[in-house]
Amino acid sequence: MNWIPSISIDSRVTEALQRLRDIHEPAVPGWWPIPVGWWAVVGLVLAMLSVLIWIVITERRKQAPYTAIRAAAMRLNRIRNEGQIDGREYATRLNLLFKELVVRIEGQQEAAQLHGSNWLELLAERFNEREFVEGVGRCLGSTRYLNEPFSDAGLKDLIDKTLLRVAPLKVKNDA
């Protein structure tokens, strides 16, 4: 036989039970503050973004002088095509662009003193283009100063292959 105690429920207990609230679930946590793992992800993304921006900026700084040389060569080609300058002036200005590239931008100070065939050999080596020594590029040497008929025919094609495609030299690491 089971014994069940008799509980007398008086009106006060009933009233107290009625005042109790229903069971509620706790509020869903907000998105802020972000958990520590997300802070680590945000930090990593910001670090990678900073490195990427740094790489892009340094690459643009390296490319800027070469971009300026290419733009100057295109302007020079345009004014030659428009007939504003003759062939000798065109060759002289192109030679100055090559000097600026080799001496000022690439820092080969010894090239500032070169002229004639030595200068053309250096250009042939720098651009891996024998046309400077054996072809139309010879007009960038001393021939433009001689009192002989001068022709710059084909020089524009040489410029298209060299100055308009100029880029920083790749440095080989011998490690």
Side-chain angles (χ1 to χ4, degrees), residues 79-99:
I79 65 173
R80 174 66 180 131
N81 290 339
E82 292 171 356
Q84 295 178 14
I85 57 175
D86 66 349
R88 283 185 201 274
E89 180 68 19
Y90 178 61
T92 301
R93 289 186 184 185
L94 283 174
N95 197 47
L96 288 174
L97 283 179
F98 280 114
K99 283 279 187 180

Side-chain angles (χ1 to χ4, degrees), residues 171-175:
V171 178
K172 295 180 182 178
N173 293 337
D174 296 332

Side-chain angles (χ1 to χ4, degrees), residues 71-141:
M74 286 190 289
R75 279 192 306 272
L76 199 54
N77 280 343
R78 189 186 74 244
I79 65 173
R80 174 66 180 131
N81 290 339
E82 292 171 356
Q84 295 178 14
I85 57 175
D86 66 349
R88 283 185 201 274
E89 180 68 19
Y90 178 61
T92 301
R93 289 186 184 185
L94 283 174
N95 197 47
L96 288 174
L97 283 179
F98 280 114
K99 283 279 187 180
E100 182 176 354
L101 171 71
V102 173
V103 176
R104 190 183 64 80
I105 296 172
E106 295 181 348
Q108 296 183 32
Q109 298 302 321
E110 67 280 356
Q113 305 302 320
L114 295 180
H115 57 87
S117 60
N118 293 334
W119 169 242
L120 296 176
E121 282 292 336
L122 182 113
L123 290 177
E125 183 180 319
R126 162 57 177 95
F127 292 100
N128 196 23
E129 182 63 58
R130 295 304 300 169
E131 203 60 34
F132 286 107
V133 178
E134 300 166 358
V136 69
R138 288 180 299 182
C139 70
L140 296 174

Side-chain angles (χ1 to χ4, degrees), residues 60-80:
R60 282 198 177 185
R61 282 185 183 159
K62 260 197 296 189
Q63 290 289 335
Y66 294 93
T67 303
I69 288 289
R70 286 190 296 270
M74 286 190 289
R75 279 192 306 272
L76 199 54
N77 280 343
R78 189 186 74 244
I79 65 173
R80 174 66 180 131

